[in-house]
Amino acid sequence: MALPITMSVIEDHLTGASVLIVDDDGWNIFALLSYLEASGLNVMSAESGAEALDLIVRWRPQIILMDIMMPKMDGFETIAHIRSMPSVAEVPIIAVTARAMKGDRERCLGAGASDYVSKPVNMQELLNKMAELLKNNDGSY
């Protein structure tokens, strides 16, 4: 179990970090965006996989929060596209999904996600995972 995040970890690894939220549900985007912006992060959102791919290339976020169950291009397909793009392939991706059945976490990680958080999102857990991924990322993408 991850230890609770401290203010120094937020300041060192999260404050000012750029985060892309990808989710087809406007309420989910609003909740995550509001909380993350209040925590000092720079946040953008996309409501589809295609929109996310465009934003990733133009904006180059430091971390991506990816919904898995989206119409047209789901999170698995979107992650595969990101991982095939050399300029952004190493960007950490956290699967943020209502898929919480046995094996779903492993399927998300196997598809290329860096980590996994189930909905409803525990914001403390999400911040801990984001800080850990950003701390361990050397920023070479």
Side-chain angles (χ1 to χ4, degrees):
M1 173 179 274
L3 296 174
I5 199 164
T6 64
M7 284 309 292
S8 65
V9 171
I10 289 175
E11 290 169 2
D12 291 347
H13 302 291
L14 292 180
T15 300
S18 57
V19 181
L20 176 62
I21 300 167
V22 185
D23 199 311
D24 62 317
D25 185 315
W27 288 109
N28 289 337
I29 289 174
F30 175 77
L32 286 170
L33 189 136
S34 298
Y35 188 85
L36 295 175
E37 283 183 339
S39 298
L41 288 90
N42 295 314
V43 186
M44 289 193 77
S45 64
E47 293 186 5
S48 70
E51 184 182 356
L53 294 174
D54 181 54
L55 273 173
I56 290 164
V57 171
R58 291 188 294 115
W59 191 52
R60 298 178 59 92
Q62 291 172 277
I63 195 161
I64 300 165
L65 306 180
M66 179 71 62
D67 182 28
I68 296 300
M69 297 185 296
M70 296 185 292
K72 296 183 184 172
M73 183 186 302
D74 68 16
F76 294 122
E77 186 179 353
T78 306
I79 290 170
H81 280 289
I82 295 166
R83 295 298 184 226
S84 73
M85 301 164 63
S87 65
V88 293
E90 299 302 317
V91 174
I93 300 171
I94 299 176
V96 180
T97 180
R99 296 183 71 115
M101 302 300 289
K102 183 177 180 177
D104 285 336
R105 180 181 193 281
E106 292 74 18
R107 183 168 178 219
C108 290
L109 297 177
S114 309
D115 212 329
Y116 167 95
V117 174
S118 64
K119 293 177 183 176
V121 175
N122 175 318
M123 293 299 193
Q124 185 70 51
E125 176 188 12
L126 180 62
L127 287 177
N128 284 342
K129 289 177 184 258
M130 291 173 65
E132 190 65 30
L133 287 168
L134 289 174
K135 182 175 85 170
N136 293 331
N137 190 322
D138 65 6
S140 61
Y141 58 90

